[in-house]
Amino acid sequence: MWLTLLTTAALALPVGFDRVDVISEAPGTWLHDEVSMFGVYATGPGLRFAEQLTLVWSLPVEGLTVQTSVSTQSLDYEGFLVRHGDWSAWWHWGLQTRLLVPSGWTVGFAGRWRWLRVGAGLSVVSGAGWGNLRWDAWRILPTVGLGVGRTH
Amino acid sequence: MTLGLLVLACAGDPVGDPVVEAHRGGAALWPENSRTAMLGAIAAGYEGLEFDVVLTADGVPVLSHDPTINHHTCTTLDGEHVAEGLLIQDFTLAELHRGFVCGALPDPAFPDVALFPESHMTWSELLVALSDPAADGMEVHVDVKFEPGQTPPAADFAAAILDPGWVTDLAQPMFVSANLVEALTAFQDHAADHGEPLRTSLIWPRFTPDTSSTVTGLKHELLKSLGVESLTGLARAAGADGIAVPYQLIDRSGALDAWDNGIDVRVWTLNDQALLDEYCDWPIGGVITDIPDQAPCG
């Protein structure tokens, strides 16, 4: 019921495509946990790479985006810091969810150059989800993000 | 505050010291679940011994991975091949011992393992073997192969396996695993009725012959990634102390969450040196392997 309402509301909003994050900062676990596993069992990191590929959608409020991947769906705000030619710098924070169950936060900075976005920051993640409605175990991970999309 | 977060972020994840369990007694070393395997694993002094149990028609627990007589590795006493699908629950122990030997033909998974044709080992025999001083401190992992329609009820397993264990006052730490919550519940209820502590572990996911293991694996990987399933949540929902997971389906975040929540995670089946090297450092309770002699942990 709630999911239907929220989906309907989301579809009714004038959202636009912003970018694709090839390496996502939310939840940010792929670089930490999976890359080193490629030499041991490549299928797992391969699948989880696909799970963290993120489509980012801009909302009508300037700077506000919805980020959607299999592993995380988050609401992110990006604020402008400085611009120099094609370069611009931004700060950002976001609330991570797993199918709308709050599961963590992201904070950091991002640099944009034309269609490229590089982010760096921290991801604070729990194991919470519909299968585990608890917020008692947390990890704090330095993150790096890499995205391509709309020029800002 | 920011400095504190950065220090926490750089502190690293906890490193575990997993128990090494000899899977089916060490199926790459001896015929699986055989008397030779159990005695060999005990003599070798492995940290953990994992084996599978089913019940005969007269309610005797015997070691077997499947509810059926293994048509790959067992023969009749005359050396004839065994028909596929013969249920162990349809034979008494005497009939089973009079009719069949296992470890008589090469296991397709481990064709180079030496053959030791033997009758099915019973749980009572294994309990006697575990009284050997060489088995002191060895962790005993009983994997209950309860299968509705192909085995007796789960409660019968609980009574047949637990009562003799307590009678002989098993010195080793023991836990029971199953891939059906119904089986774990039967064991938990039986233990509670007798006022005895019992650790249990959920084998997850449940692979069934009618669904491809790849499809089952992908489905659970997706549900896990979406947060609909989690190791902690699954173990808690089963009322279990732990969960045993194939390495293909575990990720470090899930393992850490379980670790932080006191869930005993076992990873199966690590039959490669690189896999053992990797998972021996994970924050998990144990690794299950057919090559326990090559595990660098424990």
Side-chain angles (χ1 to χ4, degrees):
Chain A
M1 166 77 170
W2 277 109
L3 196 60
T4 309
L5 283 173
L6 286 167
T7 306
T8 308
L11 290 174
L13 287 171
V15 297
F17 171 75
D18 187 80
R19 66 179 190 274
V20 175
D21 280 347
V22 182
I23 305 289
S24 176
E25 291 174 77
T29 49
W30 190 75
L31 284 177
H32 279 274
D33 300 342
E34 300 295 335
V35 172
S36 63
M37 294 289 288
F38 261 113
V40 179
Y41 172 64
T43 309
L47 269 176
R48 286 163 202 148
F49 174 77
E51 290 167 0
Q52 64 88 53
L53 281 173
T54 303
L55 289 172
V56 181
W57 308 93
S58 58
L59 294 176
V61 177
E62 181 69 29
L64 203 59
T65 57
V66 169
Q67 311 197 350
T68 51
S69 70
V70 172
S71 57
T72 310
Q73 304 77 46
S74 59
L75 187 67
D76 218 69
Y77 180 78
E78 201 164 79
F80 176 73
L81 284 174
V82 66
R83 183 181 300 277
H84 183 72
D86 286 341
W87 276 99
S88 57
W90 309 73
W91 62 272
H92 71 98
W93 64 264
L95 170 68
Q96 301 175 25
T97 77
R98 297 170 89 188
L99 296 182
L100 302 181
V101 173
S103 59
W105 292 272
T106 318
V107 293
F109 297 95
R112 290 178 183 271
W113 183 73
R114 296 182 182 172
W115 43 264
L116 184 70
R117 179 189 182 275
V118 177
L122 289 175
S123 175
V124 185
V125 283
S126 73
W130 288 108
N132 183 35
L133 290 167
R134 300 172 69 98
W135 292 266
D136 49 8
W138 294 89
R139 299 175 77 189
I140 303 170
L141 306 171
T143 59
V144 173
L146 180 67
V148 289
R150 203 161 57 86
T151 302
H152 283 250
Chain B
M1 165 98 173
T2 308
L3 186 64
L5 285 174
L6 279 170
V7 168
L8 273 173
C10 296
D13 295 327
V15 174
D17 183 23
V19 170
V20 178
E21 294 186 35
H23 182 234
R24 305 179 195 175
L29 308 172
W30 301 287
E32 66 171 42
N33 286 311
S34 67
R35 194 173 286 103
T36 298
M38 298 301 130
L39 299 178
I42 289 170
Y46 296 136
E47 276 191 303
L49 180 62
E50 190 269 356
F51 52 90
D52 309 288
V53 176
V54 297
L55 293 186
T56 61
D58 46 348
V60 179
V62 294
L63 273 54
S64 172
H65 181 261
D66 298 303
T68 54
I69 297 170
N70 188 328
H71 68 280
H72 293 298
T73 65
C74 303
T75 65
T76 65
L77 286 189
D78 302 329
E80 299 293 322
H81 279 274
V82 174
E84 196 173 344
L86 292 179
L87 292 172
I88 289 175
Q89 70 161 356
D90 292 338
F91 297 88
T92 63
L93 179 67
E95 290 167 343
L96 203 60
H97 279 184
R98 274 202 307 268
F100 307 95
V101 287
C102 297
L105 297 171
D107 183 340
F110 301 103
D112 298 331
V113 169
L115 302 178
F116 292 94
E118 299 168 353
S119 60
H120 286 82
M121 189 182 201
T122 65
W123 170 226
S124 299
E125 279 182 78
L126 182 52
L127 284 170
V128 172
L130 287 167
S131 64
D132 187 314
D136 283 354
M138 180 181 237
E139 186 180 57
V140 178
H141 175 178
V142 185
D143 193 7
V144 174
K145 292 302 182 187
F146 163 66
E147 193 63 49
Q150 296 184 46
T151 65
D156 292 2
F157 276 87
I161 291 168
L162 293 182
D163 291 342
W166 290 332
V167 167
T168 56
D169 195 18
L170 188 68
Q172 288 83 2
M174 180 182 103
F175 70 99
V176 170
S177 68
N179 63 16
L180 284 171
V181 174
E182 178 185 352
L184 293 182
T185 304
F187 276 81
Q188 289 153 0
D189 290 349
H190 195 87
D193 288 347
H194 290 71
E196 295 279 356
L198 178 70
R199 286 190 299 144
T200 57
S201 184
L202 178 69
I203 306 281
W204 178 84
R206 177 171 158 80
F207 292 105
T208 52
D210 53 336
T211 309
S212 128
S213 56
T214 304
V215 170
T216 302
L218 284 173
K219 181 184 93 176
H220 289 290
E221 171 64 31
L222 179 65
L223 292 173
K224 190 168 58 65
S225 184
L226 288 167
V228 175
E229 290 183 338
S230 80
L231 302 186
T232 302
L234 288 160
R236 287 218 163 105
D241 305 284
I243 186 164
V245 193
Y247 69 86
Q248 295 92 336
L249 279 179
I250 193 167
D251 58 76
R252 192 176 277 271
S253 286
L256 279 165
D257 183 66
W259 175 268
D260 288 339
N261 282 288
I263 303 296
D264 182 354
V265 174
R266 307 287 164 130
V267 179
W268 47 279
T269 305
L270 306 175
N271 285 346
D272 174 89
Q273 191 64 57
L275 286 169
L276 284 167
D277 290 344
E278 173 67 28
Y279 287 95
C280 275
D281 284 336
W282 276 45
I284 52 177
V287 295
I288 304 175
T289 174
D290 290 310
I291 47 172
D293 51 327
Q294 293 176 41
C297 46

